[in-house]
Amino acid sequence: MERKIVRVDPSKCRLCGFCRYVNTCYSPGNCIGCLSCYWACPYNARYIVKENITEETVTITVNGVKVQVPSRISLAEALRIAGYEFDKPGSRKPSLACKTGGCWSCAVLVNGNLERSCIVPVQGGIVVETDVESRRPLRIVHGPEPHLVGGKGTPWWEVDYVNYVEAAIWVAGCNLRCPQCQNYHVTYDNATPPLKPDEAAKLVVECHREYSTRGIAVSGGEPAINRKWLVEFFQQVSKRTPPSVRKHLDSNGTVLTPDYVDELVEAGCNNIGVEPKCVKIETYMKITGLIDRELASEYLNNAWRIIEYIYSNYGSRVYLGVGLVYNVDLVTLDEIEEAGDKLYSIDPSIQVTVLDYFPAFRRTNIRRPSVDEMLRVKKALEERGLKTVVVQTARGHVGPGNR
Ligand code: FES
């Protein structure tokens, strides 16, 4: 039988330790082809080969039914073979959202314990249950830390570079594969022990109190890909803080649906940043590393759609910020202007923050935009009529009125 496995290219490996300490293998020496390490290696030193192996099978029990599946595959693959269908990322049911072990959205019960099916190997004799509704969800969390600037959704007037504006956590796992991921140590972490939503909420609220921040934020990775965890997190933060505390979700917007946003707002979330990044599908694919055009198109359209939904349904209850990105190698000024026109048609006052993409992760051959370039981006958007434009620069954020 032919199987995909991952090998290391020694000429590219820098012995950085990322695969030993951050994105670790759960089947060492016996590759199951889960591809987690392939996506996570910062130096792109892993490659996929097809190998012929002798078929061996194991027997597992899935929801009370015994099934024979090949050995040396991930539990998720075994479940698929057994006929189980994972849901779409962003649903309440198990989904294969990050496939790198960070988000825990794929977790099912293995012998009574939650286990990430995307990265653990299948083992003979295990008893698997896919109904995890009654179990507290888990997720890998970094932080909390106090933050001086916040994200694209942080109200620009709250940022004074003197006081901490938010207490933030960052959650692991993302459904995108951005080669210039600006936060890859979090995104691809699958080794840190996960937290329940109440544990994360307790920590971030303590941080908020200690530093007297006006807001509490969750960023990533992509927070929205584990819906159950995220909704419970906001419920738990709301239980511990008054409504006046800003509760901020920083998202790429790809999996947020109207009913999901309703649920988050109901849970107390009153500040959402959505980052469609750009408007053209070719640009989006280049930025996000997605090679499936249909999926990329679905994600990009969804991000823009959800901005309109939040704006028209929660204009007064949720402070909305939109994120675009700029780097001359990835996005043109014309496209920035096109995005500006799109945002202007929603509301000329909508807050838009443009991130200056700098070299990071696998895309180290780009140059960070100069401050002047970013000011030109700001001017271009303002000339389209937008009134609340913030640009991130190497010397800090520049907001409306060059504040
Ligand atoms: S899909 Fe398995 S941890 Fe994210």
Side-chain angles (χ1 to χ4, degrees):
M1 183 188 174
E2 203 174 59
R3 208 54 82 63
K4 270 185 193 168
I5 61 162
V6 177
R7 291 237 172 90
V8 181
D9 178 350
S11 71
K12 289 188 178 171
C13 175
R14 308 273 184 97
L15 300 174
C16 67
F18 201 77
C19 55
R20 272 183 81 181
Y21 305 111
V22 184
N23 184 275
T24 55
C25 182
Y26 285 74
S27 183
N30 193 18
C31 180
I32 55 169
C34 74
L35 309 191
S36 176
C37 65
Y38 170 78
W39 294 115
C41 174
Y43 297 101
N44 215 356
R46 308 257 165 168
Y47 62 100
I48 301 170
V49 290
K50 289 190 176 154
E51 195 183 69
N52 275 315
I53 58 161
T54 319
E55 179 74 80
E56 281 174 28
T57 57
V58 289
T59 302
I60 62 173
T61 306
V62 180
N63 297 329
V65 179
K66 280 199 182 339
V67 236
Q68 272 209 332
V69 293
S71 61
R72 243 188 108 177
I73 55 174
S74 70
L75 176 55
E77 193 53 33
L79 288 175
R80 273 214 199 105
I81 291 168
Y84 178 72
E85 283 183 28
F86 285 92
D87 222 320
K88 281 175 92 164
S91 98
R92 292 184 193 86
K93 302 241 173 74
S95 70
L96 289 166
C98 79
K99 299 185 190 139
T100 55
C103 76
W104 281 77
S105 68
C106 63
V108 292
L109 290 172
V110 178
N111 298 336
N113 299 313
L114 275 181
E115 267 297 356
R116 289 162 290 180
S117 58
C118 71
I119 55 167
V120 300
V122 69
Q123 279 173 343
I126 55 171
V127 176
V128 184
E129 287 160 68
T130 56
D131 182 356
V132 290
E133 193 50 40
S134 61
R135 299 302 280 255
R136 309 296 310 282
L138 296 169
R139 188 137 189 196
I140 291 174
V141 175
H142 286 221
E145 276 177 29
H147 212 260
L148 272 179
V149 191
K152 60 221 168 229
T154 308
W156 64 274
W157 63 87
E158 286 189 12
V159 181
D160 62 9
Y161 290 101
V162 178
N163 299 294
Y164 290 116
V165 69
E166 287 172 349
I169 56 165
W170 293 263
V171 287
C174 186
N175 54 335
L176 304 182
R177 297 285 184 252
C178 304
Q180 68 293 322
C181 180
Q182 312 273 289
N183 213 4
Y184 66 96
H185 285 92
V186 176
T187 300
Y188 292 102
D189 179 6
N190 70 9
T192 301
L195 297 182
K196 296 187 183 98
D198 54 322
E199 294 167 331
K202 185 170 175 286
L203 293 172
V204 78
V205 169
E206 276 167 11
C207 179
H208 147 75
R209 290 193 183 125
E210 186 176 345
Y211 292 96
S212 306
T213 63
R214 289 168 80 164
I216 286 173
V218 54
S219 184
E222 173 47 45
I225 57 174
N226 187 332
R227 180 167 180 165
K228 209 161 165 258
W229 191 95
L230 189 63
V231 170
E232 276 192 39
F233 169 76
F234 277 113
Q235 287 167 343
Q236 292 292 333
V237 168
S238 300
K239 237 168 87 175
R240 293 165 165 82
T241 54
S244 58
V245 172
R246 189 165 45 74
K247 298 168 185 79
H248 178 189
L249 165 64
D250 188 34
S251 172
N252 62 26
T254 55
V255 302
L256 288 174
T257 52
D259 64 308
Y260 191 169
V261 169
D262 296 347
E263 204 177 2
L264 289 167
V265 175
E266 184 64 27
C269 173
N270 55 15
N271 179 201
I272 304 181
V274 179
E275 188 172 297
K277 303 178 191 293
C278 60
V279 284
K280 292 190 195 308
I281 183 65
E282 291 75 20
T283 312
Y284 193 69
M285 290 174 76
K286 194 159 36 155
I287 292 171
T288 59
L290 294 174
I291 44 173
D292 179 339
R293 192 182 175 92
E294 208 177 310
L295 180 67
S297 177
E298 185 188 319
Y299 279 172
L300 178 60
N301 291 337
N302 193 80
W304 280 103
R305 246 194 331 264
I306 209 65
I307 289 168
E308 293 192 32
Y309 179 80
I310 297 167
Y311 179 78
S312 32
N313 289 274
Y314 293 108
S316 55
R317 277 176 78 184
V318 174
Y319 188 79
L320 171 67
V322 176
L324 299 176
V325 303
Y326 183 71
N327 183 292
V328 71
D329 288 330
L330 302 171
V331 194
T332 63
L333 261 187
D334 283 351
E335 187 165 350
I336 290 277
E337 288 177 350
E338 200 181 325
D341 290 342
K342 218 168 152 127
L343 290 167
Y344 180 86
S345 71
I346 299 171
D347 180 355
S349 297
I350 201 165
Q351 175 172 316
V352 51
T353 301
V354 190
L355 304 178
D356 60 336
Y357 267 178
F358 47 80
F361 194 42
R362 294 176 175 184
R363 194 166 259 154
T364 50
N365 58 348
I366 54 172
R367 180 185 54 79
R368 185 170 193 166
S370 66
V371 176
D372 280 350
E373 273 180 286
M374 292 311 292
L375 291 177
R376 273 200 294 280
V377 166
K378 184 167 183 284
K379 191 160 172 266
L381 287 171
E382 287 169 344
E383 282 175 357
R384 307 315 282 185
L386 291 172
K387 296 181 172 46
T388 318
V389 182
V390 184
V391 287
Q392 174 182 280
T393 80
R395 280 198 240 128
H397 283 48
V398 184
N402 291 336
R403 187 174 174 271

